[in-house]
């Protein structure tokens, strides 16, 4: 099996990334786009390259094969966040029309790459539907949680229901808050990252009550991200395996809480590729195979 990823926590075996060399292109391209794309600050091209190389080395050291997307003129700076253009099921990939209009070329570009790698395409969300991978969390192999907000709309949630129901996968949609409005990046994964089958790091203040109740009913212990570390991506944690997690440096309180919960915590410097574009290690990776 070369793909299959109906889990957020099984050991990561294959993963897709996109380097700054092909996403950011050069400093001039960064300078022309970062404000328009709502980055919080201007990334430094050379530093971004070094950070991304460190990230990919951690992924490889954890046992994952790292696949890199090539340059594609249909995409811009945001394409470094490979998590969003689609999801990978055991039956194939579902590609998305992103809610952020300036990212609409990423789904077709990802589809071309997946075909080249021999990954089957299960379906596409298009037309009136929008969706982004950051709004989706596999609670278990048969349960997909989906955030309904500015990036994934009602038609997108309904399309996921239709595509996944034949595979006996339950799709639970949860409304996201207005927060800072349609220009901001608030995904479901902004407020929850699964660390093990029974453990998650969460930001409760903006969590939908039905989502909280579902986690309690499933017996999932919640580790609270420190209030002062929510905006520094303290809730954006990638599981490399059960309780073997990767987070961005600069969130010491949350890191300590994860360690107290039994997690092995790895860190990387993400000032250029994570903080400035508001996308942590989960956003920077599209798991292709977990097993």
């Amino acid at each position: 099996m070369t793909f299959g990823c109906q889990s957020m926590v099984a050991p990561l075996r294959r993963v897709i990334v996109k380097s700054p060399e092909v996403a950011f292109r050069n400093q001039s391209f960064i300078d022309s786009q970062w404000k328009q794309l709502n980055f919080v600050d201007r990334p430094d091209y050379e530093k971004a390259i070094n950070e991304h190389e460190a990230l990919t080395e951690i992924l490889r050291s954890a046992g994952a094969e790292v696949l890199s997307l090539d340059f594609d003129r249909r995409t811009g700076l945001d394409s470094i966040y490979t998590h969003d253009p689609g999801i990978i099921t055991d039956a194939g990939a579902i590609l998305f029309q992103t809610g952020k209009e300036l990212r609409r070329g990423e789904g077709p570009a990802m589809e071309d790459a997946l075909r080249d790698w021999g990954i089957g395409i299960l379906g596409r969300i298009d037309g009136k539907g929008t969706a982004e991978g950051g709004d989706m969390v596999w609670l278990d192999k048969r349960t997909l949680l989906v955030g309904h907000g500015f990036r994934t709309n009602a038609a997108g949630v309904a399309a996921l229901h239709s595509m996944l129901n034949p595979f006996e996968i339950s799709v639970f949609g949860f409304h996201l808050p207005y927060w800072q409005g349609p220009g901001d990046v608030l995904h479901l994964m902004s407020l929850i990252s699964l660390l093990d089958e029974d453990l998650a790091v969460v930001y409760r203040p903006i969590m939908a009550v039905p989502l909280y109740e579902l986690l309690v009913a499933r017996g999932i212990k919640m580790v609270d991200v420190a209030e002062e570390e929510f905006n520094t991506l303290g809730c954006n944690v990638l599981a490399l395996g059960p309780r073997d997690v990767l987070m961005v440096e600069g969130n010491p309180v949350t890191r300590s809480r994860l360690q107290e919960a039994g997690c092995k915590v790895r860190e990387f410097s993400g000032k250029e590729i994570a903080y400035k574009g508001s996308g942590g290690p989960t956003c920077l990776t599209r798991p292709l195979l977990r097993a």
Side-chain angles (χ1 to χ4, degrees):
M1 189 71 173
T2 59
F3 68 91
C5 209
Q6 293 176 199
S7 169
M8 307 298 291
V9 300
L12 187 61
R13 301 305 186 197
R14 301 183 85 200
V15 62
I16 299 170
V17 301
K18 190 170 187 179
S19 72
E21 288 98 326
V22 292
F24 289 0
R25 305 189 193 184
N26 52 54
Q27 191 64 56
S28 295
F29 188 70
I30 291 172
D31 294 346
S32 72
Q33 280 205 347
W34 73 270
K35 289 183 180 179
Q36 182 184 18
L37 292 171
N38 294 318
F39 276 55
V40 298
D41 202 354
R42 168 185 176 272
D44 181 285
Y45 179 67
E46 296 297 336
K47 291 179 180 178
I49 291 172
N50 292 333
E51 287 183 358
H52 200 269
E53 288 176 349
L55 169 65
T56 55
E57 180 54 36
I58 292 171
L59 297 173
R60 291 190 180 99
S61 70
E65 176 189 3
V66 179
L67 304 178
S68 296
L69 292 173
D70 291 331
F71 172 75
D72 194 299
R73 291 189 180 278
R74 293 171 289 184
T75 66
L77 304 187
D78 276 331
S79 65
I80 196 170
Y81 302 119
T82 57
H83 198 85
D84 290 325
I87 59 170
I88 309 297
T89 75
D90 293 351
I94 301 176
L95 283 307
F96 299 149
Q97 174 173 250
T98 59
K100 189 173 184 178
E101 291 187 12
L102 292 172
R103 300 187 68 178
R104 293 279 166 91
E106 293 180 33
M110 177 71 81
E111 180 171 350
D112 289 348
L114 292 174
R115 289 189 185 281
D116 288 344
W117 288 321
I119 309 302
I121 308 301
L122 177 61
R124 298 166 198 80
I125 292 179
D126 50 23
K128 294 183 178 180
T130 65
E132 295 187 5
D135 277 326
M136 294 164 207
V137 173
W138 291 100
L139 194 57
D140 57 46
K141 192 176 180 67
R142 299 295 177 190
T143 308
L144 182 66
L145 312 182
V146 183
H148 174 190
F150 289 117
R151 301 301 184 89
T152 299
N153 64 14
V157 177
L160 283 165
H161 273 287
S162 297
M163 282 187 235
L164 296 176
N165 184 63
F167 300 96
E168 299 182 344
I169 295 171
S170 298
V171 175
F172 291 89
F174 298 96
H175 288 288
L176 297 177
Y178 180 87
W179 195 235
Q180 296 179 25
D184 192 36
V185 53
L186 182 73
H187 284 136
L188 179 64
M189 292 184 70
S190 299
L191 52 93
I192 178 172
S193 292
L194 224 60
L195 313 172
D196 200 345
E197 292 180 354
D198 60 353
L199 183 69
V201 59
V202 302
Y203 185 62
R204 297 191 208 207
I206 56 174
M207 180 182 289
V209 171
L211 173 56
Y212 170 79
E213 292 175 337
L214 178 61
L215 297 178
V216 171
R218 293 291 184 94
I220 295 175
K221 179 182 177 182
M222 286 170 266
V223 178
D224 290 292
V225 65
E227 179 68 33
E228 67 274 17
E229 294 175 358
F230 176 71
N231 287 330
T232 53
L233 306 177
C235 205
N236 194 302
V237 182
L238 174 67
L240 303 170
R243 300 189 191 225
D244 180 1
V245 304
L246 176 62
M247 67 188 304
V248 180
E249 290 177 355
N251 297 289
V253 177
T254 304
R255 179 192 64 209
S256 178
R257 292 176 181 177
L258 297 180
Q259 290 170 331
E260 290 173 1
C263 292
K264 172 185 177 180
V265 181
R266 313 185 199 211
E267 295 179 303
F268 76 103
S269 174
K271 181 178 179 182
E272 307 301 324
I273 61 174
Y275 290 132
K276 292 183 178 180
S278 301
T282 61
C283 308
L284 288 159
T285 52
R286 165 40 64 196
L288 189 59
L289 177 65
R290 286 185 181 271

